[in-house]
Amino acid sequence: MTELPSRRLLLVHAHPDDESINNGATMARYAAEGAHVTLVTCTLGERGEVIPPELAHLTGAALGRHRRHELTAAMAELGVRDFRLLGGAGRYSDSGMMGLPDNDDPGCFWQADVDEAAAHLVEVIREVRPQVLVTYDDQGGYGHPDHIQAHRVAMRAVELSADAGVPIPKVYWNRVPRPVVEESFARLREDLPGTPFAKAAEVDDVPGVVPAERITTVVDGTAHAAAKAAAMRAHATQITVAEPYFVLSNELAQPILTTEYYELVRGERGERGSGEAETDLFAGVGEDS
């Protein structure tokens, strides 16, 4: 077996495109620095809303296959070679938005047994032995059932892998500090007439917004802004990009954040001054971890 790099990062996301929006700059930065970056995507997003009219015919399994190709293209832009589907392709399907009949589909991720799904993730953890895991908070950032389930599965896998003798030293949740988002949206409102977008989203439309004091870690990915934008653009069924902004299917413009923010929820913060945020997800993690 090939020896793994000394730094190993695992990200757990619900659908193709979530990784590029939330963590694209972080993934590109650590991949460029030689860390082993592993992405586990839990579904193929078969129930996503398609933006381009020329692709509107894609639904169900056909959309899932197309989005898998988009994911491959996005990972090429970020320099990430290790990306997988939880339990293999087609194991869990998209659950649709909360409260829809889609949630009751027995094959959807929302209906998955958490321990069973977590066991698939533990297999990945045993193989790559990550020191850092990144996923959503317990509300999935914005309440989508697949995001909530990805959180549950990831956190359960952390417990199970520790019981199996493969602990993960640091676990983070995706976050965005409210002051940063408010400032970014103020710029967006000024710039909006010069963009192809008609209307801006609101601050509370952004997943994972929290007070600034909740932020423990700030990853500066500005050197990888172009890679993040390119990865988002690769998810063409779901995202329209006009740097430094983008829209989803709701056509409401949002800023592309290239500094990305996290809350450490398990593990010890790296050594920094009192009240000072970490600038590295691996801060304080020894190479022998």
Side-chain angles (χ1 to χ4, degrees):
M1 178 178 174
T2 304
E3 185 176 349
L4 290 167
S6 59
R7 295 190 301 168
R8 301 174 299 278
L9 168 64
L10 171 63
L11 303 99
V12 181
H13 276 289
H15 316 104
D17 81 345
D18 293 325
E19 81 298 321
S20 296
I21 296 170
N22 285 277
N23 312 111
T26 297
M27 295 171 72
R29 169 185 158 174
Y30 284 114
E33 291 178 358
H36 187 96
V37 179
T38 301
L39 169 68
V40 173
T41 305
C42 298
T43 82
L44 284 170
E46 299 91 341
R47 291 187 167 104
E49 296 181 4
V50 176
I51 296 174
E54 64 273 18
L55 297 176
H57 63 282
L58 293 171
T59 59
L63 177 57
R65 288 191 295 271
H66 189 90
R67 292 189 70 178
R68 189 176 185 185
H69 291 305
E70 290 182 338
L71 181 61
T72 299
M75 292 304 96
E77 297 291 354
L78 299 180
V80 173
R81 296 185 177 88
D82 185 4
F83 52 99
R84 312 165 186 221
L85 294 165
L86 184 67
R91 180 65 185 83
Y92 301 108
S93 66
D94 189 342
S95 307
M97 298 300 289
M98 187 68 84
L100 296 179
D102 298 333
N103 303 163
D104 299 325
D105 180 346
C108 79
F109 190 46
W110 183 241
Q111 294 295 328
D113 179 85
V114 170
D115 276 6
E116 178 188 279
H120 293 305
L121 187 56
V122 170
E123 292 177 10
V124 179
I125 292 169
R126 292 172 69 96
E127 178 187 340
V128 302
R129 305 181 74 86
Q131 298 116 324
V132 176
L133 182 145
V134 171
T135 192
Y136 314 102
D137 65 14
D138 56 357
Q139 294 302 307
Y142 71 108
H144 191 293
D146 286 332
H147 288 239
I148 295 170
Q149 189 77 323
H151 160 87
R152 293 172 178 169
V153 168
M155 299 306 291
R156 181 61 176 145
V158 170
E159 295 173 349
L160 293 174
S161 61
D163 291 344
V166 190
I168 301 176
K170 302 182 83 174
V171 177
Y172 291 94
W173 292 346
N174 292 309
R175 294 297 196 192
V176 187
R178 182 169 290 276
V180 168
V181 184
E182 289 175 345
E183 182 180 341
S184 299
F185 271 87
R187 286 197 301 270
L188 167 58
R189 285 188 285 271
E190 292 179 2
D191 294 347
L192 193 63
T195 75
F197 309 131
K199 188 176 180 181
E202 300 294 333
V203 168
D204 289 335
D205 293 327
V206 177
V209 175
V210 292
E213 56 266 25
R214 294 283 295 274
I215 304 301
T216 62
T217 311
V218 179
V219 175
D220 183 357
T222 52
H224 304 282
K228 174 168 181 169
M232 291 173 63
R233 192 175 285 112
H235 291 289
T237 60
Q238 307 299 303
I239 307 172
T240 302
V241 174
E243 294 176 69
Y245 305 111
F246 75 100
V247 297
L248 300 171
S249 60
N250 60 13
E251 299 184 350
L252 299 176
Q254 298 185 41
I256 299 174
L257 300 178
T258 53
T259 295
E260 294 169 344
Y261 302 86
Y262 302 90
E263 180 181 3
L264 180 67
V265 295
R266 294 200 180 192
E268 298 296 325
R269 289 176 63 165
E271 293 284 342
R272 287 186 67 78
S274 177
E276 218 178 335
E278 301 173 314
T279 58
D280 180 5
L281 295 176
F282 292 93
V285 173
E287 292 194 0
D288 57 347
S289 298

